Amino acid sequence: MAMAYRSRSYVLLRHMLRGTCATAGPTSPPREIASWSRCVNAIRTYATEHDDQSDVVVIGGGPGGYVAAIKAAQLGLKTTCVEKRGTLGGTCLNVGCIPSKALLHSSHMFHEAKHSFASHGVKVGGVEIDIPAMMAQKNKAVAGLTKGIEGLFKKNKVSYVKGSGKIVSQGEVLVDLLEGGTKTLKAKNIIIATGSAVKSLPGITIDEKKIVSSTGALSLPEVPKKLVVIGAGYIGLEMGSVWGRLGSEVTVVEFADTIVPSLDAEIRSSFQRTLEKQKMKFKLKTKVVSVDASGPGVKLTLEPSTGGEQTVLEADVVLVSAGRIPYTEGLGLKEIGVKMDKFGRLEVDKHFQTNIPGIYGIGDVIPGPMLAHKAEEDGIACVELLAGKPGHVNYDTVPGVVYTHPEVASVGKTEEQVKALGISYAVGKFPFMANSRARTIDDAEGLVKIIADKETDKVLGVHIMGPNAGELIHEAVLALEYGASSEDIARTCHGHPTLSEAVKEAALATHSKAIHF
């Protein structure tokens, strides 16, 4: 490509300099040598400008951004990824999905050692919590994975620029480098993959000490005696579970009348009962009026969502977990005229392109579930389309998982959604209490629920609460993606004894009758 540019530049410069460069050379008189040098420098500049242009510049190195960058490079596109954190992986890997799962596992191990080992014939004494060691294990996992992504960048020849990127014009990104100074990147296409940020609440200032976001909740120096979680969504319940297992008295305050509103109502009710058995308290339909952190602890003034008598709730630490919002600050989007909706998300077409040609959005900055795996699929589909290949994401088959214990996982439509659509449907359920593997490991709380079209038997939704639900759900994801029927699942041989047999039995219950219940 550079030779092609160089050949064209020679012709251009010959015309411009009226033959001076064409006839001059290193052995020519001094005056002609000077002209010849200017000519060569002009050629080099011309070629370098085009050589430095990327096919794709990705702003953001989180799950959507780094996956898009790697896939683009694999498809033969010259790719650069800009990330301001200084480590790749975004919120998910650094202060989200990955560290939270490390703490969920560590806290579960502690809880099992303290409450369950004895019933399995394993006797231990003096089980203690070592918070610094727990945090060190979490940090080690995060560090290893972030360095792993850098290795993948090198392997796939993705250029990595550390700094904050701002789009200054079509095809041009100005980067404030972490090491100081600036760098201008030119690109045929720019992908915005900057993810999301914690949603703040009016009158509540997060200091990451007594009033924390999910980031602060991942690094508390000690177990708080009383923890109040504002928001009963995925993140709040997971972090509440971590500190609850380690000894905190956890109270969840939620403005709505349900926890995790996206879940199937039957599964949600079972889930809440299970969390309450784990001593997690809930104050639903409750509004936080004010928070006072001036004393040694925190005092929250609460009242019913619809108004009424106020009460005071005290805590050592308050976790604000009221959702997330798209992060588009400092990208220069308004200046260049990129359209956004009322929620601050980029308006994109089916090819992920904004109203400005050559500028695209993926992940949390566009509509759809704010999930790392959805962002990854967005990134792959977007760069496939840029490379002239087919690319598509089916948002109806993006699974959701709550990584508590038991886990809760779902894909497709809930029973309430199917009913609202007026679809005639059948439901099949199977409890883990009737599953042999769940009984042998003494972890049998929960069920599998399958919803299928009554006329065609096509699977419409699958909802699981139970051990390893986050792994079991992917059989259902595959079934929905390829339009399978419940009979297809029921007639597929499942290994015995496995937890996955509960999915097969629920399918049997949907199509005809379960065998073991």
Side-chain angles (χ1 to χ4, degrees):
M1 182 67 85
M3 286 302 296
Y5 283 130
R6 199 160 283 140
S7 297
R8 287 196 293 272
S9 66
Y10 267 118
V11 173
L12 175 65
L13 288 167
R14 277 176 179 167
H15 283 292
M16 289 176 63
L17 299 174
R18 296 180 180 176
T20 303
C21 290
T23 57
T27 59
S28 302
R31 192 172 177 181
E32 291 188 16
I33 288 176
S35 297
W36 181 80
S37 298
R38 285 194 297 271
C39 175
V40 171
N41 288 333
I43 293 169
R44 286 174 178 164
T45 300
Y46 184 88
T48 301
E49 284 177 354
H50 288 272
D51 287 346
D52 284 349
Q53 184 184 49
S54 295
D55 294 309
V56 180
V57 167
V58 182
I59 304 177
Y66 86 73
V67 168
I70 290 172
K71 187 63 178 180
Q74 290 174 346
L75 291 173
L77 301 176
K78 186 177 179 181
T79 308
T80 300
C81 183
V82 180
E83 170 55 53
K84 73 174 187 177
R85 192 185 297 271
T87 55
L88 294 165
T91 294
C92 175
L93 205 161
N94 289 276
V95 289
C97 323
I98 299 304
S100 65
K101 303 313 165 281
L103 292 183
L104 280 161
H105 183 65
S106 296
S107 61
H108 180 64
M109 291 175 72
F110 169 75
H111 189 270
E112 288 289 284
K114 197 170 182 181
H115 299 283
S116 302
F117 276 14
S119 64
H120 289 273
V122 180
K123 294 184 178 181
V124 293
V127 179
E128 296 179 352
I129 303 165
D130 185 343
I131 294 296
M134 194 176 289
M135 294 298 170
Q137 191 278 332
K138 173 203 71 173
N139 295 337
K140 180 182 177 182
V142 169
L145 288 168
T146 55
K147 289 175 183 175
I149 299 173
E150 287 194 37
L152 290 172
F153 271 16
K154 291 177 183 176
K155 177 183 176 181
N156 290 281
K157 296 180 174 57
V158 175
S159 297
Y160 174 27
V161 178
K162 297 181 181 181
S164 300
K166 179 179 181 179
I167 304 172
V168 292
S169 65
Q170 276 182 273
E172 193 172 36
V173 176
L174 179 65
V175 183
D176 284 328
L177 300 171
L178 287 183
E179 62 185 17
T182 61
K183 182 174 184 176
T184 299
L185 304 174
K186 295 185 181 298
K188 297 176 184 176
N189 303 286
I190 299 169
I191 299 176
I192 300 166
T194 45
S196 58
V198 173
K199 182 180 180 181
S200 60
L201 293 175
I204 300 178
T205 302
I206 295 173
D207 60 13
E208 300 296 12
K209 292 179 181 178
K210 289 193 292 184
I211 303 176
V212 301
S213 67
S214 55
T215 300
L218 290 166
S219 301
L220 295 178
E222 59 186 14
V223 179
K225 185 177 179 182
K226 292 184 178 181
L227 172 68
V228 170
V229 179
I230 302 176
Y234 287 47
I235 299 170
L237 297 182
E238 288 180 6
M239 295 313 303
S241 291
V242 167
W243 295 106
R245 293 170 191 164
L246 297 178
S248 291
E249 181 183 314
V250 180
T251 303
V252 180
V253 179
E254 171 58 51
F255 185 85
D257 59 355
T258 62
I259 67 170
V260 199
S262 60
L263 292 180
D264 179 271
E266 182 179 10
I267 298 293
R268 182 171 60 232
S269 296
S270 296
F271 183 37
Q272 184 175 336
R273 287 195 297 271
T274 296
L275 293 175
E276 287 171 339
K277 283 193 286 185
Q278 295 173 6
K279 299 183 180 180
M280 190 178 286
K281 299 175 183 177
F282 291 92
K283 289 184 176 291
L284 304 179
K285 295 189 287 185
T286 302
K287 178 170 65 176
V288 178
V289 178
S290 64
V291 174
D292 180 9
S294 59
V298 184
K299 291 183 178 181
L300 298 91
T301 301
L302 312 176
E303 69 177 28
S305 300
T306 53
E309 185 179 349
Q310 294 186 347
T311 57
V312 175
L313 181 63
E314 295 188 4
D316 298 293
V317 174
V318 174
L319 166 59
V320 179
S321 183
R324 299 184 66 83
I325 56 174
Y327 184 79
T328 57
E329 184 181 338
L331 294 176
L333 302 183
K334 289 182 180 179
E335 290 84 345
I336 62 172
V338 173
K339 290 183 179 179
M340 291 184 272
D341 65 18
K342 62 181 181 180
F343 302 107
R345 302 173 301 193
L346 308 185
E347 293 184 1
V348 296
D349 62 18
K350 62 182 180 180
H351 288 177
F352 301 94
Q353 186 168 235
T354 66
N355 60 302
I356 306 296
I359 298 179
Y360 301 79
I362 62 170
D364 290 1
V365 298
I366 68 171
M370 286 185 166
L371 297 169
H373 43 285
K374 177 264 190 185
E376 291 181 6
E377 298 303 317
D378 281 354
I380 289 174
C382 181
V383 297
E384 283 178 334
L385 291 164
L386 290 179
K389 299 178 180 294
H392 174 67
V393 181
N394 182 359
Y395 294 139
D396 290 331
T397 59
V398 174
V401 184
V402 189
Y403 295 92
T404 49
H405 191 87
E407 292 180 348
V408 181
S410 61
V411 65
K413 292 178 170 53
T414 64
E415 185 173 355
E416 293 70 44
Q417 290 171 330
V418 171
K419 193 178 295 183
L421 291 169
I423 299 171
S424 179
Y425 65 94
V427 174
K429 292 178 276 189
F430 190 81
F432 279 101
M433 188 59 71
N435 175 264
S436 58
R437 183 65 184 276
R439 292 290 292 272
T440 58
I441 63 175
D442 194 23
D443 194 359
E445 191 158 11
L447 74 156
V448 178
K449 177 178 180 179
I450 295 179
I451 304 164
D453 188 295
K454 197 166 189 175
E455 294 181 7
T456 66
D457 193 36
K458 181 180 179 181
V459 177
L460 302 174
V462 179
H463 311 276
I464 306 173
M465 184 184 91
N468 290 3
E471 305 294 337
L472 298 176
I473 196 64
H474 296 99
E475 177 179 5
V477 174
L478 193 63
L480 264 74
E481 187 63 47
Y482 286 92
S485 65
S486 67
E487 184 180 5
D488 290 330
I489 299 174
R491 291 189 178 278
T492 299
C493 185
H494 289 60
H496 174 78
T498 61
L499 296 170
S500 64
E501 288 178 286
V503 178
K504 175 186 174 76
E505 290 275 8
L508 278 167
T510 310
H511 176 252
S512 53
K513 289 185 177 180
I515 300 296
H516 293 95
F517 184 70

